Amino acid sequence: MKNYKRILLAFVAVFGAVLLVACAAKGDNGTYVYKPTKAEMRKMLKDQGASSSDIDSLNDKYSLELSIEINDSKGYLNVKSERPGHKTVDSTEIKVNQKTKTIGAKEEKGETVRYKIKGDTLTFNFTKDQEVSNQFASSLLKNAKFKRTK
């Protein structure tokens, strides 16, 4: 009887481990969403050279949501913005390399941005050259924390 309980316990432990591994997230796949706060929006607009009056008038009426969908080597960058009387939704297909942790535009060769996922948060790591060559994207995304949605 004692050996039977040990065998049963070992079987249950192995089954539980297999079940947990099977239900775990597959790599970086998933949808990550970033909704900047009003303070973050102010900083982004200021970094882009907007005047204080423009920032004050836009900040209360403008909303932005960015999402990144990763599915193996493909993905989508979705941008939703809203201002009075106008809503836009733009989607761009991207290429993803989960081994090297890079994301890039599908149609462009070579230009990629490194990303990091810690827990359920995706962040970007821009090089100094990337920050200089694409100031808008780097100012928008370098401090962004994309949260995985369930």
Side-chain angles (χ1 to χ4, degrees):
M1 187 66 149
K2 191 174 183 179
N3 286 337
Y4 175 75
K5 287 182 183 180
R6 286 184 181 167
I7 292 171
L8 182 61
L9 179 62
F11 176 77
V12 170
V14 169
F15 179 76
V18 169
L19 185 64
L20 287 174
V21 170
C23 294
K26 305 288 189 254
D28 299 337
N29 291 346
T31 301
Y32 301 84
V33 178
Y34 171 60
K35 294 179 187 177
T37 65
K38 297 291 184 188
E40 291 170 323
M41 290 288 292
R42 278 181 146 14
K43 184 175 180 340
M44 282 186 268
L45 292 169
K46 186 177 179 182
D47 290 347
Q48 293 304 310
S51 69
S52 294
S53 60
D54 288 341
I55 292 171
D56 291 338
S57 66
L58 282 176
N59 200 31
D60 294 331
K61 302 170 188 164
Y62 189 79
S63 68
L64 179 67
E65 178 183 303
L66 304 171
S67 65
I68 296 173
E69 297 173 32
I70 298 176
N71 187 5
D72 297 326
S73 64
K74 291 194 280 185
Y76 291 93
L77 172 63
N78 303 303
V79 180
K80 295 178 187 176
S81 62
E82 187 176 342
R83 62 179 194 257
H86 192 68
K87 287 184 182 182
T88 60
V89 178
D90 293 315
S91 184
T92 303
E93 192 170 352
I94 55 177
K95 60 183 175 186
V96 179
N97 186 330
Q98 292 189 31
K99 289 181 184 174
T100 61
K101 302 286 188 198
T102 57
I103 292 178
K106 183 175 181 174
E107 63 276 354
E108 293 183 28
K109 302 282 187 220
E111 185 66 29
T112 60
V113 176
R114 295 187 62 76
Y115 70 91
K116 177 174 65 173
I117 296 178
K118 186 174 183 180
D120 283 340
T121 304
L122 181 146
T123 56
F124 288 101
N125 297 322
F126 288 92
T127 65
K128 293 292 180 194
D129 291 340
Q130 288 171 327
E131 286 183 21
V132 170
S133 66
N134 196 341
Q135 290 179 343
F136 177 72
S138 65
S139 70
L140 178 65
L141 298 174
K142 74 178 174 183
N143 296 317
K145 293 183 179 174
F146 290 78
K147 301 290 183 185
R148 187 189 303 251
T149 60
K150 304 288 182 210

